[in-house]
PDB file of all heavy atoms in Angstrom:
ATOM      1  N   ILE R   3       0.837  -1.191  -0.001  1.00  0.00           N
ATOM      2  CA  ILE R   3       0.001   0.011   0.004  1.00  0.00           C
ATOM      3  C   ILE R   3       0.858   1.235   0.002  1.00  0.00           C
ATOM      4  O   ILE R   3       0.644   2.195  -0.776  1.00  0.00           O
ATOM      5  CB  ILE R   3      -0.994   0.012   1.207  1.00  0.00           C
ATOM      6  CG1 ILE R   3      -2.076  -1.037   0.994  1.00  0.00           C
ATOM      7  CG2 ILE R   3      -1.599   1.381   1.387  1.00  0.00           C
ATOM      8  CD1 ILE R   3      -2.986  -1.232   2.211  1.00  0.00           C
ATOM      9  N   LYS R   4       1.909   1.259   0.834  1.00  0.00           N
ATOM     10  CA  LYS R   4       2.808   2.407   0.921  1.00  0.00           C
ATOM     11  C   LYS R   4       3.474   2.615  -0.427  1.00  0.00           C
ATOM     12  O   LYS R   4       3.578   3.744  -0.909  1.00  0.00           O
ATOM     13  CB  LYS R   4       3.808   2.225   2.019  1.00  0.00           C
ATOM     14  CG  LYS R   4       4.764   3.393   2.183  1.00  0.00           C
ATOM     15  CD  LYS R   4       5.633   3.278   3.366  1.00  0.00           C
ATOM     16  CE  LYS R   4       6.646   4.353   3.525  1.00  0.00           C
ATOM     17  NZ  LYS R   4       6.585   5.506   2.667  1.00  0.00           N
ATOM     18  N   GLU R   5       3.943   1.541  -1.022  1.00  0.00           N
ATOM     19  CA  GLU R   5       4.633   1.591  -2.308  1.00  0.00           C
ATOM     20  C   GLU R   5       3.720   2.159  -3.415  1.00  0.00           C
ATOM     21  O   GLU R   5       4.124   3.048  -4.175  1.00  0.00           O
ATOM     22  CB  GLU R   5       5.094   0.216  -2.677  1.00  0.00           C
ATOM     23  CG  GLU R   5       5.825   0.052  -3.966  1.00  0.00           C
ATOM     24  CD  GLU R   5       6.192  -1.417  -4.228  1.00  0.00           C
ATOM     25  OE1 GLU R   5       6.681  -2.082  -3.306  1.00  0.00           O
ATOM     26  OE2 GLU R   5       5.959  -1.845  -5.366  1.00  0.00           O
ATOM     27  N   VAL R   6       2.481   1.697  -3.447  1.00  0.00           N
ATOM     28  CA  VAL R   6       1.533   2.125  -4.445  1.00  0.00           C
ATOM     29  C   VAL R   6       1.167   3.606  -4.239  1.00  0.00           C
ATOM     30  O   VAL R   6       1.028   4.373  -5.177  1.00  0.00           O
ATOM     31  CB  VAL R   6       0.271   1.223  -4.471  1.00  0.00           C
ATOM     32  CG1 VAL R   6      -0.805   1.810  -5.342  1.00  0.00           C
ATOM     33  CG2 VAL R   6       0.625  -0.170  -4.903  1.00  0.00           C
ATOM     34  N   LYS R   7       0.994   4.002  -2.977  1.00  0.00           N
ATOM     35  CA  LYS R   7       0.674   5.417  -2.682  1.00  0.00           C
ATOM     36  C   LYS R   7       1.793   6.313  -3.104  1.00  0.00           C
ATOM     37  O   LYS R   7       1.560   7.418  -3.631  1.00  0.00           O
ATOM     38  CB  LYS R   7       0.376   5.596  -1.205  1.00  0.00           C
ATOM     39  CG  LYS R   7      -0.997   5.124  -0.819  1.00  0.00           C
ATOM     40  CD  LYS R   7      -1.355   5.527   0.599  1.00  0.00           C
ATOM     41  CE  LYS R   7      -2.793   5.193   0.919  1.00  0.00           C
ATOM     42  NZ  LYS R   7      -3.185   5.716   2.228  1.00  0.00           N
ATOM     43  N   ASP R   8       3.044   5.861  -2.976  1.00  0.00           N
ATOM     44  CA  ASP R   8       4.194   6.667  -3.468  1.00  0.00           C
ATOM     45  C   ASP R   8       4.125   6.808  -4.982  1.00  0.00           C
ATOM     46  O   ASP R   8       4.432   7.858  -5.539  1.00  0.00           O
ATOM     47  CB  ASP R   8       5.500   6.012  -3.030  1.00  0.00           C
ATOM     48  CG  ASP R   8       5.783   6.158  -1.546  1.00  0.00           C
ATOM     49  OD1 ASP R   8       5.157   7.027  -0.887  1.00  0.00           O
ATOM     50  OD2 ASP R   8       6.662   5.398  -1.058  1.00  0.00           O
ATOM     51  N   GLU R   9       3.760   5.723  -5.646  1.00  0.00           N
ATOM     52  CA  GLU R   9       3.640   5.764  -7.113  1.00  0.00           C
ATOM     53  C   GLU R   9       2.495   6.687  -7.537  1.00  0.00           C
ATOM     54  O   GLU R   9       2.634   7.430  -8.500  1.00  0.00           O
ATOM     55  CB  GLU R   9       3.426   4.346  -7.672  1.00  0.00           C
ATOM     56  CG  GLU R   9       3.434   4.319  -9.171  1.00  0.00           C
ATOM     57  CD  GLU R   9       3.320   2.921  -9.727  1.00  0.00           C
ATOM     58  OE1 GLU R   9       3.433   1.922  -8.986  1.00  0.00           O
ATOM     59  OE2 GLU R   9       3.124   2.805 -10.960  1.00  0.00           O
ATOM     60  N   ILE R  10       1.384   6.666  -6.798  1.00  0.00           N
ATOM     61  CA  ILE R  10       0.278   7.571  -7.092  1.00  0.00           C
ATOM     62  C   ILE R  10       0.716   8.994  -6.975  1.00  0.00           C
ATOM     63  O   ILE R  10       0.424   9.851  -7.812  1.00  0.00           O
ATOM     64  CB  ILE R  10      -0.929   7.271  -6.171  1.00  0.00           C
ATOM     65  CG1 ILE R  10      -1.565   5.934  -6.548  1.00  0.00           C
ATOM     66  CG2 ILE R  10      -1.959   8.391  -6.262  1.00  0.00           C
ATOM     67  CD1 ILE R  10      -2.633   5.473  -5.539  1.00  0.00           C
ATOM     68  N   PHE R  11       1.479   9.301  -5.919  1.00  0.00           N
ATOM     69  CA  PHE R  11       1.977  10.674  -5.731  1.00  0.00           C
ATOM     70  C   PHE R  11       2.849  11.090  -6.905  1.00  0.00           C
ATOM     71  O   PHE R  11       2.692  12.194  -7.450  1.00  0.00           O
ATOM     72  CB  PHE R  11       2.762  10.744  -4.420  1.00  0.00           C
ATOM     73  CG  PHE R  11       3.371  12.110  -4.172  1.00  0.00           C
ATOM     74  CD1 PHE R  11       2.577  13.126  -3.700  1.00  0.00           C
ATOM     75  CD2 PHE R  11       4.692  12.362  -4.430  1.00  0.00           C
ATOM     76  CE1 PHE R  11       3.106  14.398  -3.476  1.00  0.00           C
ATOM     77  CE2 PHE R  11       5.248  13.603  -4.227  1.00  0.00           C
ATOM     78  CZ  PHE R  11       4.428  14.630  -3.740  1.00  0.00           C
ATOM     79  N   SER R  12       3.719  10.200  -7.334  1.00  0.00           N
ATOM     80  CA  SER R  12       4.589  10.504  -8.470  1.00  0.00           C
ATOM     81  C   SER R  12       3.782  10.769  -9.715  1.00  0.00           C
ATOM     82  O   SER R  12       4.044  11.707 -10.469  1.00  0.00           O
ATOM     83  CB  SER R  12       5.565   9.327  -8.684  1.00  0.00           C
ATOM     84  OG  SER R  12       6.290   9.523  -9.858  1.00  0.00           O
ATOM     85  N   LEU R  13       2.757   9.947  -9.967  1.00  0.00           N
ATOM     86  CA  LEU R  13       1.939  10.116 -11.178  1.00  0.00           C
ATOM     87  C   LEU R  13       1.145  11.409 -11.076  1.00  0.00           C
ATOM     88  O   LEU R  13       0.945  12.077 -12.111  1.00  0.00           O
ATOM     89  CB  LEU R  13       0.991   8.905 -11.325  1.00  0.00           C
ATOM     90  CG  LEU R  13       1.678   7.581 -11.716  1.00  0.00           C
ATOM     91  CD1 LEU R  13       0.667   6.460 -11.746  1.00  0.00           C
ATOM     92  CD2 LEU R  13       2.364   7.720 -13.064  1.00  0.00           C
ATOM     93  N   ARG R  14       0.671  11.769  -9.902  1.00  0.00           N
ATOM     94  CA  ARG R  14      -0.065  13.019  -9.752  1.00  0.00           C
ATOM     95  C   ARG R  14       0.823  14.214 -10.051  1.00  0.00           C
ATOM     96  O   ARG R  14       0.377  15.211 -10.622  1.00  0.00           O
ATOM     97  CB  ARG R  14      -0.659  13.126  -8.361  1.00  0.00           C
ATOM     98  CG  ARG R  14      -1.844  12.159  -8.192  1.00  0.00           C
ATOM     99  CD  ARG R  14      -2.493  12.264  -6.837  1.00  0.00           C
ATOM    100  NE  ARG R  14      -3.027  13.590  -6.615  1.00  0.00           N
ATOM    101  CZ  ARG R  14      -3.075  14.198  -5.401  1.00  0.00           C
ATOM    102  NH1 ARG R  14      -2.635  13.594  -4.348  1.00  0.00           N
ATOM    103  NH2 ARG R  14      -3.585  15.403  -5.286  1.00  0.00           N
ATOM    104  N   MET R  15       2.112  14.135  -9.660  1.00  0.00           N
ATOM    105  CA  MET R  15       3.049  15.216 -10.001  1.00  0.00           C
ATOM    106  C   MET R  15       3.241  15.295 -11.538  1.00  0.00           C
ATOM    107  O   MET R  15       3.311  16.383 -12.080  1.00  0.00           O
ATOM    108  CB  MET R  15       4.396  15.013  -9.318  1.00  0.00           C
ATOM    109  CG  MET R  15       4.410  15.201  -7.823  1.00  0.00           C
ATOM    110  SD  MET R  15       3.913  16.843  -7.380  1.00  0.00           S
ATOM    111  CE  MET R  15       2.374  16.541  -6.545  1.00  0.00           C
ATOM    112  N   GLN R  16       3.332  14.160 -12.172  1.00  0.00           N
ATOM    113  CA  GLN R  16       3.459  14.131 -13.638  1.00  0.00           C
ATOM    114  C   GLN R  16       2.233  14.729 -14.285  1.00  0.00           C
ATOM    115  O   GLN R  16       2.311  15.456 -15.264  1.00  0.00           O
ATOM    116  CB  GLN R  16       3.665  12.706 -14.157  1.00  0.00           C
ATOM    117  CG  GLN R  16       5.002  12.109 -13.832  1.00  0.00           C
ATOM    118  CD  GLN R  16       5.129  10.678 -14.318  1.00  0.00           C
ATOM    119  OE1 GLN R  16       4.398  10.261 -15.226  1.00  0.00           O
ATOM    120  NE2 GLN R  16       6.050   9.947 -13.754  1.00  0.00           N
ATOM    121  N   GLN R  17       1.067  14.412 -13.713  1.00  0.00           N
ATOM    122  CA  GLN R  17      -0.172  14.948 -14.252  1.00  0.00           C
ATOM    123  C   GLN R  17      -0.225  16.457 -14.106  1.00  0.00           C
ATOM    124  O   GLN R  17      -0.664  17.165 -15.031  1.00  0.00           O
ATOM    125  CB  GLN R  17      -1.364  14.295 -13.523  1.00  0.00           C
ATOM    126  CG  GLN R  17      -2.719  14.680 -14.084  1.00  0.00           C
ATOM    127  CD  GLN R  17      -3.862  13.985 -13.359  1.00  0.00           C
ATOM    128  OE1 GLN R  17      -3.738  13.745 -12.166  1.00  0.00           O
ATOM    129  NE2 GLN R  17      -4.885  13.644 -14.066  1.00  0.00           N
ATOM    130  N   ALA R  18       0.234  16.972 -12.983  1.00  0.00           N
ATOM    131  CA  ALA R  18       0.232  18.416 -12.757  1.00  0.00           C
ATOM    132  C   ALA R  18       1.122  19.146 -13.724  1.00  0.00           C
ATOM    133  O   ALA R  18       0.846  20.291 -14.103  1.00  0.00           O
ATOM    134  CB  ALA R  18       0.619  18.681 -11.331  1.00  0.00           C
ATOM    135  N   THR R  19       2.216  18.504 -14.136  1.00  0.00           N
ATOM    136  CA  THR R  19       3.153  19.154 -15.049  1.00  0.00           C
ATOM    137  C   THR R  19       2.817  18.818 -16.510  1.00  0.00           C
ATOM    138  O   THR R  19       3.490  19.345 -17.397  1.00  0.00           O
ATOM    139  CB  THR R  19       4.599  18.722 -14.770  1.00  0.00           C
ATOM    140  OG1 THR R  19       4.708  17.293 -14.937  1.00  0.00           O
ATOM    141  CG2 THR R  19       5.047  19.116 -13.388  1.00  0.00           C
ATOM    142  N   GLY R  20       1.801  17.995 -16.709  1.00  0.00           N
ATOM    143  CA  GLY R  20       1.376  17.689 -18.074  1.00  0.00           C
ATOM    144  C   GLY R  20       2.193  16.588 -18.746  1.00  0.00           C
ATOM    145  O   GLY R  20       2.130  16.429 -19.955  1.00  0.00           O
ATOM    146  N   ASN R  21       2.930  15.814 -17.974  1.00  0.00           N
ATOM    147  CA  ASN R  21       3.767  14.757 -18.544  1.00  0.00           C
ATOM    148  C   ASN R  21       3.202  13.357 -18.377  1.00  0.00           C
ATOM    149  O   ASN R  21       3.894  12.387 -18.678  1.00  0.00           O
ATOM    150  CB  ASN R  21       5.188  14.817 -17.887  1.00  0.00           C
ATOM    151  CG  ASN R  21       5.893  16.102 -18.226  1.00  0.00           C
ATOM    152  OD1 ASN R  21       5.656  16.691 -19.252  1.00  0.00           O
ATOM    153  ND2 ASN R  21       6.736  16.540 -17.316  1.00  0.00           N
ATOM    154  N   LEU R  22       2.015  13.231 -17.891  1.00  0.00           N
ATOM    155  CA  LEU R  22       1.423  11.927 -17.627  1.00  0.00           C
ATOM    156  C   LEU R  22       0.962  11.280 -18.933  1.00  0.00           C
ATOM    157  O   LEU R  22       0.119  11.818 -19.635  1.00  0.00           O
ATOM    158  CB  LEU R  22       0.270  12.024 -16.648  1.00  0.00           C
ATOM    159  CG  LEU R  22      -0.381  10.720 -16.181  1.00  0.00           C
ATOM    160  CD1 LEU R  22       0.679   9.884 -15.457  1.00  0.00           C
ATOM    161  CD2 LEU R  22      -1.530  11.038 -15.259  1.00  0.00           C
ATOM    162  N   GLU R  23       1.560  10.134 -19.284  1.00  0.00           N
ATOM    163  CA  GLU R  23       1.229   9.465 -20.533  1.00  0.00           C
ATOM    164  C   GLU R  23       0.047   8.549 -20.428  1.00  0.00           C
ATOM    165  O   GLU R  23      -0.684   8.357 -21.404  1.00  0.00           O
ATOM    166  CB  GLU R  23       2.442   8.683 -21.020  1.00  0.00           C
ATOM    167  CG  GLU R  23       3.608   9.556 -21.435  1.00  0.00           C
ATOM    168  CD  GLU R  23       4.764   8.775 -22.007  1.00  0.00           C
ATOM    169  OE1 GLU R  23       4.572   7.596 -22.351  1.00  0.00           O
ATOM    170  OE2 GLU R  23       5.864   9.346 -22.067  1.00  0.00           O
ATOM    171  N   LYS R  24      -0.192   7.959 -19.253  1.00  0.00           N
ATOM    172  CA  LYS R  24      -1.267   6.972 -19.121  1.00  0.00           C
ATOM    173  C   LYS R  24      -2.125   7.340 -17.913  1.00  0.00           C
ATOM    174  O   LYS R  24      -1.929   6.812 -16.823  1.00  0.00           O
ATOM    175  CB  LYS R  24      -0.672   5.583 -18.958  1.00  0.00           C
ATOM    176  CG  LYS R  24      -1.623   4.461 -19.101  1.00  0.00           C
ATOM    177  CD  LYS R  24      -0.927   3.127 -19.075  1.00  0.00           C
ATOM    178  CE  LYS R  24      -1.933   2.002 -19.108  1.00  0.00           C
ATOM    179  NZ  LYS R  24      -1.288   0.711 -18.953  1.00  0.00           N
ATOM    180  N   PRO R  25      -3.093   8.237 -18.080  1.00  0.00           N
ATOM    181  CA  PRO R  25      -3.926   8.671 -16.966  1.00  0.00           C
ATOM    182  C   PRO R  25      -4.718   7.539 -16.316  1.00  0.00           C
ATOM    183  O   PRO R  25      -5.038   7.628 -15.112  1.00  0.00           O
ATOM    184  CB  PRO R  25      -4.869   9.706 -17.607  1.00  0.00           C
ATOM    185  CG  PRO R  25      -4.246  10.113 -18.867  1.00  0.00           C
ATOM    186  CD  PRO R  25      -3.404   8.950 -19.325  1.00  0.00           C
ATOM    187  N   SER R  26      -5.045   6.506 -17.057  1.00  0.00           N
ATOM    188  CA  SER R  26      -5.801   5.421 -16.491  1.00  0.00           C
ATOM    189  C   SER R  26      -5.039   4.667 -15.397  1.00  0.00           C
ATOM    190  O   SER R  26      -5.635   3.990 -14.562  1.00  0.00           O
ATOM    191  CB  SER R  26      -6.232   4.456 -17.597  1.00  0.00           C
ATOM    192  OG  SER R  26      -5.058   3.869 -18.211  1.00  0.00           O
ATOM    193  N   ARG R  27      -3.724   4.806 -15.400  1.00  0.00           N
ATOM    194  CA  ARG R  27      -2.911   4.144 -14.399  1.00  0.00           C
ATOM    195  C   ARG R  27      -3.235   4.644 -12.993  1.00  0.00           C
ATOM    196  O   ARG R  27      -3.241   3.874 -12.027  1.00  0.00           O
ATOM    197  CB  ARG R  27      -1.417   4.374 -14.688  1.00  0.00           C
ATOM    198  CG  ARG R  27      -0.480   3.699 -13.790  1.00  0.00           C
ATOM    199  CD  ARG R  27      -0.334   2.231 -14.077  1.00  0.00           C
ATOM    200  NE  ARG R  27       0.660   1.670 -13.195  1.00  0.00           N
ATOM    201  CZ  ARG R  27       0.484   0.551 -12.483  1.00  0.00           C
ATOM    202  NH1 ARG R  27      -0.600  -0.155 -12.602  1.00  0.00           N
ATOM    203  NH2 ARG R  27       1.434   0.131 -11.692  1.00  0.00           N
ATOM    204  N   LEU R  28      -3.543   5.940 -12.859  1.00  0.00           N
ATOM    205  CA  LEU R  28      -3.955   6.522 -11.555  1.00  0.00           C
ATOM    206  C   LEU R  28      -5.169   5.786 -11.031  1.00  0.00           C
ATOM    207  O   LEU R  28      -5.225   5.429  -9.884  1.00  0.00           O
ATOM    208  CB  LEU R  28      -4.245   7.999 -11.694  1.00  0.00           C
ATOM    209  CG  LEU R  28      -3.082   8.937 -11.569  1.00  0.00           C
ATOM    210  CD1 LEU R  28      -3.471  10.333 -11.922  1.00  0.00           C
ATOM    211  CD2 LEU R  28      -2.519   8.909 -10.189  1.00  0.00           C
ATOM    212  N   HIS R  29      -6.162   5.622 -11.911  1.00  0.00           N
ATOM    213  CA  HIS R  29      -7.426   4.929 -11.515  1.00  0.00           C
ATOM    214  C   HIS R  29      -7.132   3.506 -11.089  1.00  0.00           C
ATOM    215  O   HIS R  29      -7.638   3.044 -10.059  1.00  0.00           O
ATOM    216  CB  HIS R  29      -8.370   4.985 -12.681  1.00  0.00           C
ATOM    217  CG  HIS R  29      -9.698   4.332 -12.423  1.00  0.00           C
ATOM    218  ND1 HIS R  29     -10.662   4.874 -11.621  1.00  0.00           N
ATOM    219  CD2 HIS R  29     -10.220   3.150 -12.856  1.00  0.00           C
ATOM    220  CE1 HIS R  29     -11.703   4.095 -11.557  1.00  0.00           C
ATOM    221  NE2 HIS R  29     -11.461   3.019 -12.313  1.00  0.00           N
ATOM    222  N   GLU R  30      -6.325   2.796 -11.833  1.00  0.00           N
ATOM    223  CA  GLU R  30      -5.988   1.419 -11.505  1.00  0.00           C
ATOM    224  C   GLU R  30      -5.326   1.318 -10.141  1.00  0.00           C
ATOM    225  O   GLU R  30      -5.656   0.417  -9.341  1.00  0.00           O
ATOM    226  CB  GLU R  30      -5.016   0.841 -12.578  1.00  0.00           C
ATOM    227  CG  GLU R  30      -5.608   0.665 -13.929  1.00  0.00           C
ATOM    228  CD  GLU R  30      -4.552   0.315 -14.967  1.00  0.00           C
ATOM    229  OE1 GLU R  30      -3.412  -0.046 -14.564  1.00  0.00           O
ATOM    230  OE2 GLU R  30      -4.857   0.389 -16.156  1.00  0.00           O
ATOM    231  N   LEU R  31      -4.382   2.201  -9.867  1.00  0.00           N
ATOM    232  CA  LEU R  31      -3.641   2.168  -8.615  1.00  0.00           C
ATOM    233  C   LEU R  31      -4.555   2.474  -7.427  1.00  0.00           C
ATOM    234  O   LEU R  31      -4.469   1.834  -6.376  1.00  0.00           O
ATOM    235  CB  LEU R  31      -2.453   3.125  -8.643  1.00  0.00           C
ATOM    236  CG  LEU R  31      -1.318   2.712  -9.585  1.00  0.00           C
ATOM    237  CD1 LEU R  31      -0.270   3.810  -9.611  1.00  0.00           C
ATOM    238  CD2 LEU R  31      -0.721   1.391  -9.193  1.00  0.00           C
ATOM    239  N   ARG R  32      -5.468   3.447  -7.607  1.00  0.00           N
ATOM    240  CA  ARG R  32      -6.354   3.746  -6.500  1.00  0.00           C
ATOM    241  C   ARG R  32      -7.294   2.570  -6.194  1.00  0.00           C
ATOM    242  O   ARG R  32      -7.574   2.254  -5.028  1.00  0.00           O
ATOM    243  CB  ARG R  32      -7.211   4.987  -6.855  1.00  0.00           C
ATOM    244  CG  ARG R  32      -6.417   6.284  -6.733  1.00  0.00           C
ATOM    245  CD  ARG R  32      -7.308   7.504  -6.644  1.00  0.00           C
ATOM    246  NE  ARG R  32      -8.229   7.575  -7.757  1.00  0.00           N
ATOM    247  CZ  ARG R  32      -8.079   8.300  -8.876  1.00  0.00           C
ATOM    248  NH1 ARG R  32      -6.964   9.013  -9.027  1.00  0.00           N
ATOM    249  NH2 ARG R  32      -8.964   8.329  -9.815  1.00  0.00           N
ATOM    250  N   LYS R  33      -7.728   1.887  -7.236  1.00  0.00           N
ATOM    251  CA  LYS R  33      -8.529   0.681  -7.046  1.00  0.00           C
ATOM    252  C   LYS R  33      -7.737  -0.409  -6.343  1.00  0.00           C
ATOM    253  O   LYS R  33      -8.302  -1.113  -5.446  1.00  0.00           O
ATOM    254  CB  LYS R  33      -9.019   0.121  -8.393  1.00  0.00           C
ATOM    255  CG  LYS R  33     -10.037   0.984  -9.079  1.00  0.00           C
ATOM    256  CD  LYS R  33     -11.397   0.775  -8.458  1.00  0.00           C
ATOM    257  CE  LYS R  33     -12.421   1.421  -9.349  1.00  0.00           C
ATOM    258  NZ  LYS R  33     -13.791   1.111  -8.908  1.00  0.00           N
ATOM    259  N   ASP R  34      -6.445  -0.578  -6.660  1.00  0.00           N
ATOM    260  CA  ASP R  34      -5.593  -1.553  -6.008  1.00  0.00           C
ATOM    261  C   ASP R  34      -5.515  -1.248  -4.511  1.00  0.00           C
ATOM    262  O   ASP R  34      -5.586  -2.155  -3.685  1.00  0.00           O
ATOM    263  CB  ASP R  34      -4.223  -1.584  -6.622  1.00  0.00           C
ATOM    264  CG  ASP R  34      -4.194  -2.280  -7.991  1.00  0.00           C
ATOM    265  OD1 ASP R  34      -5.169  -2.981  -8.320  1.00  0.00           O
ATOM    266  OD2 ASP R  34      -3.189  -2.137  -8.673  1.00  0.00           O
ATOM    267  N   VAL R  35      -5.310   0.022  -4.168  1.00  0.00           N
ATOM    268  CA  VAL R  35      -5.200   0.409  -2.760  1.00  0.00           C
ATOM    269  C   VAL R  35      -6.513   0.067  -2.053  1.00  0.00           C
ATOM    270  O   VAL R  35      -6.501  -0.485  -0.935  1.00  0.00           O
ATOM    271  CB  VAL R  35      -4.859   1.902  -2.592  1.00  0.00           C
ATOM    272  CG1 VAL R  35      -4.997   2.341  -1.143  1.00  0.00           C
ATOM    273  CG2 VAL R  35      -3.438   2.157  -3.086  1.00  0.00           C
ATOM    274  N   ALA R  36      -7.621   0.334  -2.666  1.00  0.00           N
ATOM    275  CA  ALA R  36      -8.932   0.055  -2.063  1.00  0.00           C
ATOM    276  C   ALA R  36      -9.081  -1.458  -1.824  1.00  0.00           C
ATOM    277  O   ALA R  36      -9.567  -1.890  -0.777  1.00  0.00           O
ATOM    278  CB  ALA R  36     -10.042   0.561  -2.967  1.00  0.00           C
ATOM    279  N   ARG R  37      -8.680  -2.286  -2.816  1.00  0.00           N
ATOM    280  CA  ARG R  37      -8.770  -3.719  -2.665  1.00  0.00           C
ATOM    281  C   ARG R  37      -7.921  -4.218  -1.469  1.00  0.00           C
ATOM    282  O   ARG R  37      -8.367  -5.033  -0.687  1.00  0.00           O
ATOM    283  CB  ARG R  37      -8.290  -4.424  -3.935  1.00  0.00           C
ATOM    284  CG  ARG R  37      -9.246  -4.378  -5.038  1.00  0.00           C
ATOM    285  CD  ARG R  37      -8.735  -5.242  -6.226  1.00  0.00           C
ATOM    286  NE  ARG R  37      -9.493  -4.916  -7.403  1.00  0.00           N
ATOM    287  CZ  ARG R  37      -9.064  -4.172  -8.409  1.00  0.00           C
ATOM    288  NH1 ARG R  37      -7.849  -3.651  -8.353  1.00  0.00           N
ATOM    289  NH2 ARG R  37      -9.810  -3.912  -9.447  1.00  0.00           N
ATOM    290  N   MET R  38      -6.716  -3.663  -1.390  1.00  0.00           N
ATOM    291  CA  MET R  38      -5.806  -4.095  -0.310  1.00  0.00           C
ATOM    292  C   MET R  38      -6.363  -3.677   1.047  1.00  0.00           C
ATOM    293  O   MET R  38      -6.321  -4.475   1.986  1.00  0.00           O
ATOM    294  CB  MET R  38      -4.403  -3.503  -0.552  1.00  0.00           C
ATOM    295  CG  MET R  38      -3.656  -4.164  -1.700  1.00  0.00           C
ATOM    296  SD  MET R  38      -1.964  -3.583  -1.865  1.00  0.00           S
ATOM    297  CE  MET R  38      -2.172  -2.378  -3.165  1.00  0.00           C
ATOM    298  N   LYS R  39      -6.884  -2.487   1.137  1.00  0.00           N
ATOM    299  CA  LYS R  39      -7.457  -2.040   2.412  1.00  0.00           C
ATOM    300  C   LYS R  39      -8.680  -2.889   2.806  1.00  0.00           C
ATOM    301  O   LYS R  39      -8.898  -3.173   3.973  1.00  0.00           O
ATOM    302  CB  LYS R  39      -7.838  -0.539   2.330  1.00  0.00           C
ATOM    303  CG  LYS R  39      -6.638   0.347   2.386  1.00  0.00           C
ATOM    304  CD  LYS R  39      -7.034   1.809   2.432  1.00  0.00           C
ATOM    305  CE  LYS R  39      -5.864   2.707   2.659  1.00  0.00           C
ATOM    306  NZ  LYS R  39      -6.245   4.123   2.769  1.00  0.00           N
ATOM    307  N   THR R  40      -9.484  -3.284   1.804  1.00  0.00           N
ATOM    308  CA  THR R  40     -10.638  -4.088   2.072  1.00  0.00           C
ATOM    309  C   THR R  40     -10.214  -5.458   2.630  1.00  0.00           C
ATOM    310  O   THR R  40     -10.804  -5.933   3.580  1.00  0.00           O
ATOM    311  CB  THR R  40     -11.457  -4.298   0.785  1.00  0.00           C
ATOM    312  OG1 THR R  40     -11.920  -3.033   0.311  1.00  0.00           O
ATOM    313  CG2 THR R  40     -12.660  -5.221   1.000  1.00  0.00           C
ATOM    314  N   ILE R  41      -9.190  -6.055   2.035  1.00  0.00           N
ATOM    315  CA  ILE R  41      -8.710  -7.346   2.507  1.00  0.00           C
ATOM    316  C   ILE R  41      -8.153  -7.217   3.935  1.00  0.00           C
ATOM    317  O   ILE R  41      -8.354  -8.093   4.766  1.00  0.00           O
ATOM    318  CB  ILE R  41      -7.714  -7.945   1.508  1.00  0.00           C
ATOM    319  CG1 ILE R  41      -8.452  -8.335   0.251  1.00  0.00           C
ATOM    320  CG2 ILE R  41      -6.992  -9.141   2.128  1.00  0.00           C
ATOM    321  CD1 ILE R  41      -7.602  -8.733  -0.914  1.00  0.00           C
ATOM    322  N   LEU R  42      -7.448  -6.118   4.213  1.00  0.00           N
ATOM    323  CA  LEU R  42      -6.906  -5.908   5.567  1.00  0.00           C
ATOM    324  C   LEU R  42      -8.076  -5.791   6.547  1.00  0.00           C
ATOM    325  O   LEU R  42      -8.000  -6.355   7.658  1.00  0.00           O
ATOM    326  CB  LEU R  42      -6.050  -4.686   5.609  1.00  0.00           C
ATOM    327  CG  LEU R  42      -4.671  -4.771   4.989  1.00  0.00           C
ATOM    328  CD1 LEU R  42      -3.976  -3.433   5.068  1.00  0.00           C
ATOM    329  CD2 LEU R  42      -3.838  -5.845   5.661  1.00  0.00           C
ATOM    330  N   ALA R  43      -9.138  -5.098   6.169  1.00  0.00           N
ATOM    331  CA  ALA R  43     -10.289  -4.952   7.065  1.00  0.00           C
ATOM    332  C   ALA R  43     -10.954  -6.295   7.294  1.00  0.00           C
ATOM    333  O   ALA R  43     -11.378  -6.583   8.431  1.00  0.00           O
ATOM    334  CB  ALA R  43     -11.285  -3.976   6.457  1.00  0.00           C
ATOM    335  N   GLU R  44     -11.056  -7.130   6.277  1.00  0.00           N
ATOM    336  CA  GLU R  44     -11.640  -8.446   6.417  1.00  0.00           C
ATOM    337  C   GLU R  44     -10.854  -9.284   7.411  1.00  0.00           C
ATOM    338  O   GLU R  44     -11.408 -10.035   8.231  1.00  0.00           O
ATOM    339  CB  GLU R  44     -11.677  -9.176   5.081  1.00  0.00           C
ATOM    340  CG  GLU R  44     -12.715  -8.646   4.111  1.00  0.00           C
ATOM    341  CD  GLU R  44     -12.612  -9.279   2.757  1.00  0.00           C
ATOM    342  OE1 GLU R  44     -11.711 -10.104   2.508  1.00  0.00           O
ATOM    343  OE2 GLU R  44     -13.488  -8.961   1.919  1.00  0.00           O
TER     344      GLU R  44
END
């Protein structure tokens, strides 16, 4: 989760500067974090 959140931060910085090539990756990573948190809660 920590690793993925760091990657999300990096991608958001790329998005802010206009250098993000694959915007869908942000969505995928956020979904992954949600899945992991759900499993931890279970």
Side-chain angles (χ1 to χ4, degrees):
I3 288 173
K4 181 173 176 9
E5 180 182 313
V6 171
K7 282 189 174 187
D8 289 342
E9 186 176 350
I10 289 172
F11 178 78
S12 173
L13 290 175
R14 287 181 63 211
M15 289 299 114
Q16 288 178 22
Q17 185 177 34
T19 60
N21 296 331
L22 185 60
E23 292 184 15
K24 192 173 176 186
S26 62
R27 182 78 176 132
L28 274 171
H29 180 72
E30 293 170 13
L31 291 175
R32 285 197 305 263
K33 290 282 192 173
D34 285 346
V35 170
R37 283 186 195 103
M38 288 185 261
K39 285 185 173 183
T40 299
I41 291 171
L42 286 178
E44 287 174 356

